[in-house]
mmCIF file of all heavy atoms in Angstrom:
data_model
loop_
_atom_site.group_PDB
_atom_site.id
_atom_site.type_symbol
_atom_site.label_atom_id
_atom_site.label_comp_id
_atom_site.label_asym_id
_atom_site.label_seq_id
_atom_site.Cartn_x
_atom_site.Cartn_y
_atom_site.Cartn_z
ATOM 1 N N ASN A 188 -13.031 9.422 -6.571
ATOM 2 C CA ASN A 188 -11.573 9.581 -6.630
ATOM 3 C C ASN A 188 -10.914 8.360 -5.993
ATOM 4 O O ASN A 188 -10.468 8.407 -4.835
ATOM 5 C CB ASN A 188 -11.138 10.851 -5.902
ATOM 6 C CG ASN A 188 -11.643 12.112 -6.565
ATOM 7 O OD1 ASN A 188 -11.190 12.481 -7.638
ATOM 8 N ND2 ASN A 188 -12.603 12.761 -5.934
ATOM 9 N N PRO A 189 -10.843 7.252 -6.727
ATOM 10 C CA PRO A 189 -10.345 6.006 -6.147
ATOM 11 C C PRO A 189 -8.825 5.952 -5.985
ATOM 12 O O PRO A 189 -8.316 5.018 -5.360
ATOM 13 C CB PRO A 189 -10.814 4.947 -7.135
ATOM 14 C CG PRO A 189 -10.905 5.662 -8.440
ATOM 15 C CD PRO A 189 -11.329 7.065 -8.103
ATOM 16 N N TYR A 190 -8.101 6.903 -6.541
ATOM 17 C CA TYR A 190 -6.654 6.936 -6.361
ATOM 18 C C TYR A 190 -6.198 8.355 -6.077
ATOM 19 O O TYR A 190 -6.902 9.330 -6.329
ATOM 20 C CB TYR A 190 -5.921 6.378 -7.590
ATOM 21 C CG TYR A 190 -6.016 7.231 -8.840
ATOM 22 C CD1 TYR A 190 -5.139 8.292 -9.064
ATOM 23 C CD2 TYR A 190 -6.974 6.958 -9.821
ATOM 24 C CE1 TYR A 190 -5.220 9.066 -10.216
ATOM 25 C CE2 TYR A 190 -7.059 7.720 -10.965
ATOM 26 C CZ TYR A 190 -6.178 8.779 -11.161
ATOM 27 O OH TYR A 190 -6.272 9.546 -12.293
ATOM 28 N N TRP A 191 -4.988 8.467 -5.510
ATOM 29 C CA TRP A 191 -4.378 9.778 -5.283
ATOM 30 C C TRP A 191 -3.030 9.805 -6.005
ATOM 31 O O TRP A 191 -2.482 8.768 -6.361
ATOM 32 C CB TRP A 191 -4.179 10.055 -3.786
ATOM 33 C CG TRP A 191 -3.523 8.952 -3.012
ATOM 34 C CD1 TRP A 191 -4.122 8.027 -2.204
ATOM 35 C CD2 TRP A 191 -2.113 8.639 -2.987
ATOM 36 N NE1 TRP A 191 -3.201 7.153 -1.679
ATOM 37 C CE2 TRP A 191 -1.955 7.516 -2.134
ATOM 38 C CE3 TRP A 191 -0.982 9.187 -3.575
ATOM 39 C CZ2 TRP A 191 -0.704 6.939 -1.874
ATOM 40 C CZ3 TRP A 191 0.262 8.614 -3.328
ATOM 41 C CH2 TRP A 191 0.380 7.501 -2.487
ATOM 42 N N GLN A 192 -2.509 11.019 -6.205
ATOM 43 C CA GLN A 192 -1.194 11.181 -6.821
ATOM 44 C C GLN A 192 -0.391 12.205 -6.031
ATOM 45 O O GLN A 192 -0.937 13.183 -5.526
ATOM 46 C CB GLN A 192 -1.315 11.621 -8.283
ATOM 47 C CG GLN A 192 -1.903 10.554 -9.186
ATOM 48 C CD GLN A 192 -1.724 10.843 -10.668
ATOM 49 O OE1 GLN A 192 -1.655 9.913 -11.460
ATOM 50 N NE2 GLN A 192 -1.670 12.095 -11.077
ATOM 51 N N ARG A 193 0.911 11.958 -5.958
ATOM 52 C CA ARG A 193 1.823 12.874 -5.278
ATOM 53 C C ARG A 193 2.995 13.157 -6.212
ATOM 54 O O ARG A 193 3.591 12.219 -6.760
ATOM 55 C CB ARG A 193 2.310 12.229 -3.985
ATOM 56 C CG ARG A 193 2.887 13.159 -2.939
ATOM 57 C CD ARG A 193 1.840 14.011 -2.244
ATOM 58 N NE ARG A 193 0.816 13.254 -1.552
ATOM 59 C CZ ARG A 193 0.918 12.831 -0.296
ATOM 60 N NH1 ARG A 193 2.026 13.042 0.397
ATOM 61 N NH2 ARG A 193 -0.092 12.189 0.274
ATOM 62 N N LEU A 194 3.319 14.420 -6.407
ATOM 63 C CA LEU A 194 4.362 14.815 -7.355
ATOM 64 C C LEU A 194 5.626 15.235 -6.616
ATOM 65 O O LEU A 194 5.566 15.981 -5.629
ATOM 66 C CB LEU A 194 3.870 15.947 -8.252
ATOM 67 C CG LEU A 194 4.809 16.399 -9.374
ATOM 68 C CD1 LEU A 194 4.015 16.765 -10.629
ATOM 69 C CD2 LEU A 194 5.664 17.605 -8.952
ATOM 70 N N PHE A 195 6.770 14.763 -7.126
ATOM 71 C CA PHE A 195 8.082 15.128 -6.598
ATOM 72 C C PHE A 195 8.964 15.581 -7.753
ATOM 73 O O PHE A 195 8.887 15.037 -8.853
ATOM 74 C CB PHE A 195 8.742 13.938 -5.903
ATOM 75 C CG PHE A 195 7.988 13.424 -4.713
ATOM 76 C CD1 PHE A 195 6.964 12.490 -4.880
ATOM 77 C CD2 PHE A 195 8.295 13.852 -3.432
ATOM 78 C CE1 PHE A 195 6.268 12.002 -3.787
ATOM 79 C CE2 PHE A 195 7.599 13.376 -2.333
ATOM 80 C CZ PHE A 195 6.583 12.449 -2.511
ATOM 81 N N LYS A 196 9.818 16.561 -7.511
ATOM 82 C CA LYS A 196 10.746 17.054 -8.521
ATOM 83 C C LYS A 196 12.086 16.348 -8.390
ATOM 84 O O LYS A 196 12.587 16.125 -7.290
ATOM 85 C CB LYS A 196 10.950 18.566 -8.364
ATOM 86 C CG LYS A 196 9.731 19.395 -8.751
ATOM 87 C CD LYS A 196 9.427 19.285 -10.242
ATOM 88 C CE LYS A 196 8.291 20.213 -10.649
ATOM 89 N NZ LYS A 196 7.989 20.081 -12.098
ATOM 90 N N LEU A 197 12.672 15.994 -9.529
ATOM 91 C CA LEU A 197 13.986 15.381 -9.575
ATOM 92 C C LEU A 197 15.030 16.403 -9.993
ATOM 93 O O LEU A 197 14.708 17.440 -10.598
ATOM 94 C CB LEU A 197 13.985 14.201 -10.542
ATOM 95 C CG LEU A 197 13.109 13.015 -10.119
ATOM 96 C CD1 LEU A 197 12.957 12.035 -11.273
ATOM 97 C CD2 LEU A 197 13.685 12.321 -8.907
ATOM 98 N N GLY A 198 16.290 16.107 -9.685
ATOM 99 C CA GLY A 198 17.364 17.065 -9.913
ATOM 100 C C GLY A 198 17.623 17.402 -11.363
ATOM 101 O O GLY A 198 18.191 18.448 -11.670
ATOM 102 N N ASP A 199 17.211 16.512 -12.290
ATOM 103 C CA ASP A 199 17.456 16.780 -13.706
ATOM 104 C C ASP A 199 16.306 17.557 -14.349
ATOM 105 O O ASP A 199 16.250 17.694 -15.573
ATOM 106 C CB ASP A 199 17.682 15.469 -14.463
ATOM 107 C CG ASP A 199 16.470 14.542 -14.432
ATOM 108 O OD1 ASP A 199 15.475 14.888 -13.752
ATOM 109 O OD2 ASP A 199 16.514 13.481 -15.085
ATOM 110 N N GLY A 200 15.363 18.039 -13.509
ATOM 111 C CA GLY A 200 14.249 18.820 -14.044
ATOM 112 C C GLY A 200 13.027 18.002 -14.389
ATOM 113 O O GLY A 200 11.987 18.553 -14.752
ATOM 114 N N THR A 201 13.128 16.655 -14.293
ATOM 115 C CA THR A 201 11.962 15.817 -14.549
ATOM 116 C C THR A 201 11.127 15.689 -13.269
ATOM 117 O O THR A 201 11.548 16.110 -12.193
ATOM 118 C CB THR A 201 12.373 14.419 -15.045
ATOM 119 O OG1 THR A 201 13.145 13.769 -14.022
ATOM 120 C CG2 THR A 201 13.198 14.519 -16.318
ATOM 121 N N SER A 202 9.958 15.102 -13.410
ATOM 122 C CA SER A 202 9.057 14.931 -12.273
ATOM 123 C C SER A 202 8.777 13.457 -12.021
ATOM 124 O O SER A 202 8.771 12.639 -12.943
ATOM 125 C CB SER A 202 7.726 15.648 -12.534
ATOM 126 O OG SER A 202 7.923 17.043 -12.665
ATOM 127 N N LEU A 203 8.536 13.124 -10.764
ATOM 128 C CA LEU A 203 8.145 11.782 -10.363
ATOM 129 C C LEU A 203 6.746 11.855 -9.773
ATOM 130 O O LEU A 203 6.490 12.654 -8.871
ATOM 131 C CB LEU A 203 9.115 11.235 -9.319
ATOM 132 C CG LEU A 203 8.853 9.814 -8.814
ATOM 133 C CD1 LEU A 203 9.302 8.808 -9.863
ATOM 134 C CD2 LEU A 203 9.583 9.565 -7.502
ATOM 135 N N ILE A 204 5.835 11.061 -10.302
ATOM 136 C CA ILE A 204 4.460 11.021 -9.796
ATOM 137 C C ILE A 204 4.204 9.655 -9.183
ATOM 138 O O ILE A 204 4.299 8.630 -9.862
ATOM 139 C CB ILE A 204 3.432 11.303 -10.909
ATOM 140 C CG1 ILE A 204 3.594 12.732 -11.432
ATOM 141 C CG2 ILE A 204 2.015 11.093 -10.386
ATOM 142 C CD1 ILE A 204 2.661 13.074 -12.575
ATOM 143 N N VAL A 205 3.907 9.638 -7.886
ATOM 144 C CA VAL A 205 3.521 8.411 -7.199
ATOM 145 C C VAL A 205 1.999 8.333 -7.213
ATOM 146 O O VAL A 205 1.321 9.263 -6.768
ATOM 147 C CB VAL A 205 4.037 8.389 -5.750
ATOM 148 C CG1 VAL A 205 3.621 7.090 -5.057
ATOM 149 C CG2 VAL A 205 5.551 8.554 -5.707
ATOM 150 N N ARG A 206 1.452 7.230 -7.731
ATOM 151 C CA ARG A 206 0.000 7.036 -7.752
ATOM 152 C C ARG A 206 -0.374 5.913 -6.789
ATOM 153 O O ARG A 206 0.086 4.790 -6.935
ATOM 154 C CB ARG A 206 -0.491 6.699 -9.157
ATOM 155 C CG ARG A 206 -2.008 6.431 -9.189
ATOM 156 C CD ARG A 206 -2.527 6.132 -10.580
ATOM 157 N NE ARG A 206 -2.487 7.298 -11.452
ATOM 158 C CZ ARG A 206 -3.051 7.345 -12.662
ATOM 159 N NH1 ARG A 206 -3.709 6.279 -13.127
ATOM 160 N NH2 ARG A 206 -2.961 8.434 -13.403
ATOM 161 N N GLY A 207 -1.228 6.232 -5.833
ATOM 162 C CA GLY A 207 -1.728 5.253 -4.883
ATOM 163 C C GLY A 207 -3.049 4.680 -5.362
ATOM 164 O O GLY A 207 -4.049 5.396 -5.459
ATOM 165 N N ILE A 208 -3.071 3.395 -5.659
ATOM 166 C CA ILE A 208 -4.196 2.741 -6.329
ATOM 167 C C ILE A 208 -4.975 1.864 -5.343
ATOM 168 O O ILE A 208 -4.390 1.104 -4.562
ATOM 169 C CB ILE A 208 -3.671 1.890 -7.507
ATOM 170 C CG1 ILE A 208 -3.072 2.810 -8.582
ATOM 171 C CG2 ILE A 208 -4.762 0.999 -8.086
ATOM 172 C CD1 ILE A 208 -2.291 2.082 -9.655
ATOM 173 N N THR A 209 -6.291 1.957 -5.384
ATOM 174 C CA THR A 209 -7.157 1.165 -4.510
ATOM 175 C C THR A 209 -7.471 -0.186 -5.150
ATOM 176 O O THR A 209 -7.943 -0.249 -6.284
ATOM 177 C CB THR A 209 -8.478 1.915 -4.233
ATOM 178 O OG1 THR A 209 -8.183 3.169 -3.610
ATOM 179 C CG2 THR A 209 -9.385 1.107 -3.318
ATOM 180 N N SER A 210 -7.208 -1.254 -4.394
ATOM 181 C CA SER A 210 -7.469 -2.604 -4.910
ATOM 182 C C SER A 210 -8.504 -3.340 -4.064
ATOM 183 O O SER A 210 -8.704 -4.552 -4.241
ATOM 184 C CB SER A 210 -6.165 -3.416 -4.925
ATOM 185 O OG SER A 210 -5.647 -3.560 -3.613
ATOM 186 N N THR A 211 -9.183 -2.631 -3.167
ATOM 187 C CA THR A 211 -9.997 -3.298 -2.143
ATOM 188 C C THR A 211 -11.496 -3.099 -2.297
ATOM 189 O O THR A 211 -12.254 -3.421 -1.379
ATOM 190 C CB THR A 211 -9.587 -2.792 -0.740
ATOM 191 O OG1 THR A 211 -9.697 -1.351 -0.718
ATOM 192 C CG2 THR A 211 -8.165 -3.187 -0.418
ATOM 193 N N TRP A 212 -11.974 -2.584 -3.428
ATOM 194 C CA TRP A 212 -13.408 -2.345 -3.578
ATOM 195 C C TRP A 212 -14.219 -3.621 -3.366
ATOM 196 O O TRP A 212 -15.342 -3.578 -2.861
ATOM 197 C CB TRP A 212 -13.721 -1.774 -4.966
ATOM 198 C CG TRP A 212 -13.181 -0.412 -5.221
ATOM 199 C CD1 TRP A 212 -12.308 -0.044 -6.216
ATOM 200 C CD2 TRP A 212 -13.458 0.790 -4.490
ATOM 201 N NE1 TRP A 212 -12.020 1.298 -6.144
ATOM 202 C CE2 TRP A 212 -12.716 1.837 -5.094
ATOM 203 C CE3 TRP A 212 -14.245 1.084 -3.380
ATOM 204 C CZ2 TRP A 212 -12.751 3.152 -4.626
ATOM 205 C CZ3 TRP A 212 -14.279 2.393 -2.909
ATOM 206 C CH2 TRP A 212 -13.542 3.406 -3.523
ATOM 207 N N LEU A 213 -13.670 -4.759 -3.738
ATOM 208 C CA LEU A 213 -14.416 -6.012 -3.635
ATOM 209 C C LEU A 213 -13.901 -6.913 -2.516
ATOM 210 O O LEU A 213 -14.262 -8.091 -2.445
ATOM 211 C CB LEU A 213 -14.369 -6.771 -4.967
ATOM 212 C CG LEU A 213 -14.871 -6.020 -6.198
ATOM 213 C CD1 LEU A 213 -14.945 -6.952 -7.392
ATOM 214 C CD2 LEU A 213 -16.223 -5.374 -5.953
ATOM 215 N N SER A 214 -13.065 -6.362 -1.611
ATOM 216 C CA SER A 214 -12.539 -7.160 -0.514
ATOM 217 C C SER A 214 -13.641 -7.469 0.496
ATOM 218 O O SER A 214 -14.537 -6.656 0.733
ATOM 219 C CB SER A 214 -11.397 -6.428 0.195
ATOM 220 O OG SER A 214 -10.232 -6.442 -0.582
ATOM 221 N N GLY A 215 -13.538 -8.644 1.102
ATOM 222 C CA GLY A 215 -14.518 -9.047 2.091
ATOM 223 C C GLY A 215 -14.277 -10.471 2.547
ATOM 224 O O GLY A 215 -13.218 -11.053 2.264
ATOM 225 N N PRO A 216 -15.247 -11.065 3.230
ATOM 226 C CA PRO A 216 -15.066 -12.421 3.759
ATOM 227 C C PRO A 216 -14.802 -13.467 2.686
ATOM 228 O O PRO A 216 -14.269 -14.538 2.987
ATOM 229 C CB PRO A 216 -16.403 -12.696 4.469
ATOM 230 C CG PRO A 216 -17.002 -11.360 4.720
ATOM 231 C CD PRO A 216 -16.540 -10.479 3.605
ATOM 232 N N ARG A 217 -15.174 -13.182 1.447
ATOM 233 C CA ARG A 217 -15.021 -14.174 0.381
ATOM 234 C C ARG A 217 -13.717 -14.002 -0.408
ATOM 235 O O ARG A 217 -13.561 -14.575 -1.486
ATOM 236 C CB ARG A 217 -16.223 -14.116 -0.570
ATOM 237 C CG ARG A 217 -17.527 -14.518 0.099
ATOM 238 C CD ARG A 217 -18.738 -14.210 -0.763
ATOM 239 N NE ARG A 217 -19.981 -14.591 -0.107
ATOM 240 C CZ ARG A 217 -20.574 -13.884 0.846
ATOM 241 N NH1 ARG A 217 -20.033 -12.754 1.257
ATOM 242 N NH2 ARG A 217 -21.696 -14.292 1.411
#
Side-chain angles (χ1 to χ4, degrees):
N188 295 289
Y190 69 85
W191 49 259
Q192 292 194 152
R193 199 72 59 88
L194 185 143
F195 298 86
K196 290 294 185 181
L197 294 168
D199 62 356
T201 62
S202 297
L203 181 76
I204 295 177
V205 180
R206 178 178 291 189
I208 294 169
T209 301
S210 62
T211 55
W212 294 121
L213 304 188
S214 286
R217 295 169 180 78

